[in-house]
Amino acid sequence: MNKNTKIYIAGHRGMVGSAVWRALTAAGYTNLIGKSSKELDLRNQQAVNAFFETEKPEAVIDAAARVGGILANNDFPYQFLMENLQIQNNLIDAAHKNEVNKFIFLGSSCIYPKLAPQPLKEEYLLTDSLEPTNQWYAIAKIAGVKACEAIRRQFGKDYVSLMPTNLYGPFDNFDLKTSHVLPAMIRKFHEAKQKGNEPVELWGSGTPMREFLHVDDLAQAILFAIENVLPEHLYNVGTGVDLTIKALAEQIQETVGHKGEIVWDSTKPDGTPRKLMNVDKMKEAGWEASTQLELGIKTTYEWFVDNIAEYKQVKL
Ligand SMILES: NC(=O)c1ccc[n+]([C@@H]2O[C@H](COP(=O)([O-])OP(=O)(O)OC[C@H]3O[C@@H](n4cnc5c(N)ncnc54)[C@H](OP(=O)(O)O)[C@@H]3O)[C@@H](O)[C@H]2O)c1
């Protein structure tokens, strides 16, 4: 892979895709290509094939997907299943047919079985039932992992799947109706501080344990996978360290400078008690995360404050 290699980043305007674009640019890659969903709808097989035939990318990073939380999965199961299958199938097949030898697919920690042992190892995939709320998304993602594994096995191409844990960072979704826990807390504490440090109500007991990875660390893992040939088809990407939701809330409260009370609404569900990745395989391959959570939260909060006006106009 040289710095002039033509690399297509699908979904380059999203949280992950934009972080990958920044990381590759910073590493000196000069021949990156990206298209918005308006310019190229990845659900359209003909359009995707035509794009690959014209552009002939040499490597592909698939950061395009229909993503969302429990509510969105519950309301749009068909779209979560079908659109993700369409997007990834079109990309993987067009890449394969156009002799792309390097393809990076993104799975997710949430596609492991609901009751898999912790920390999650790659080998636990498909060993038990899925979490019913996001099974639509998970089935599609598992099909993507398997498609890359099959191409790798049958044709010897370097198609690899990375499984990120919960991500956070710039360009995250801060819409309280659809956001994940960390950006939702940032917004809640910020707005409560602005209203004279009024109490912040959070869901559950605060006891579940979760792991968080800065999106720039994921982008570094993707860069590592671009620059090296990983010997296997599937790698967890996380920090390997978790903390309680209560400890996370206190860390964010301190960073934001909110001086009010935190009220835990224990009538609301906690979700699974623990979700942590085993990241030994990626470490053995030569990569590990480097952003400390405290610093990651601080820079994400700064990004949120700097962009909140624009964000409110665009997304709310
Ligand atoms: N966020 C997390 O915590 C997390 C955790 C684990 C794994 N992941 C994985 O990381 C990947 C990226 O997630 P993200 O958080 O960056 O999502 P995101 O911010 O919502 O970005 C998704 C991107 O996909 C593109 N896209 C969606 N539908 C498309 C279509 N029909 N045609 C063309 N492009 C389409 C969007 O393009 P436009 O902006 O142009 O519309 C957008 O740039 C996904 O595969 C996700 O499963 C994310």
Side-chain angles (χ1 to χ4, degrees), residues 21-59:
W21 191 285
R22 288 194 300 276
L24 267 62
T25 304
Y29 286 86
T30 54
N31 202 359
L32 305 179
I33 46 174
K35 291 270 177 206
S36 71
S37 57
K38 282 211 176 89
E39 293 165 327
L40 174 63
D41 185 344
L42 296 170
R43 294 168 300 181
N44 181 334
Q45 188 181 22
Q46 269 185 325
V48 175
N49 284 338
F51 171 75
F52 271 75
E53 277 156 28
T54 311
E55 291 289 346
K56 293 279 179 210
E58 297 163 82

Side-chain angles (χ1 to χ4, degrees), residues 8 10-18 35-38 40-44 62-67 83-84 87 105-110 137 141 162-168 171-172 180 215 218 315:
Y8 168 40
H12 73 298
R13 287 161 19 111
M15 180 192 185
V16 172
S18 58
K35 291 270 177 206
S36 71
S37 57
K38 282 211 176 89
L40 174 63
D41 185 344
L42 296 170
R43 294 168 300 181
N44 181 334
D62 178 5
R66 176 141 185 155
V67 300
E83 291 189 14
N84 282 315
I87 291 170
F105 181 71
L106 295 177
S108 169
S109 59
C110 71
Y137 173 82
K141 287 282 183 188
L162 302 182
M163 303 277 263
T165 189
N166 303 304
L167 300 171
Y168 70 98
F171 298 97
D172 206 341
H180 294 132
V215 70
L218 172 61
K315 296 224 172 169

Side-chain angles (χ1 to χ4, degrees), residues 218-232:
L218 172 61
Q220 288 302 321
I222 291 171
L223 176 61
F224 181 81
I226 281 283
E227 294 188 332
N228 296 278
V229 177
L230 294 173
E232 291 182 48

Side-chain angles (χ1 to χ4, degrees), residues 67-73 75-76 80 172-181 183-184 187 311 315-316:
V67 300
I70 294 176
L71 278 180
N73 262 268
D75 290 348
F76 304 102
F80 272 86
D172 206 341
N173 172 13
F174 292 90
D175 178 347
L176 292 179
K177 284 197 246 40
T178 52
S179 55
H180 294 132
V181 58
R187 180 159 177 185
Y311 177 80
K315 296 224 172 169
L316 298 181

Side-chain angles (χ1 to χ4, degrees), residues 224 230-232 235 278-287:
F224 181 81
L230 294 173
E232 291 182 48
Y235 290 85
N278 176 311
V279 291
D280 290 351
K281 265 177 68 173
M282 202 60 182
K283 269 191 194 161
E284 276 159 30
W287 182 86

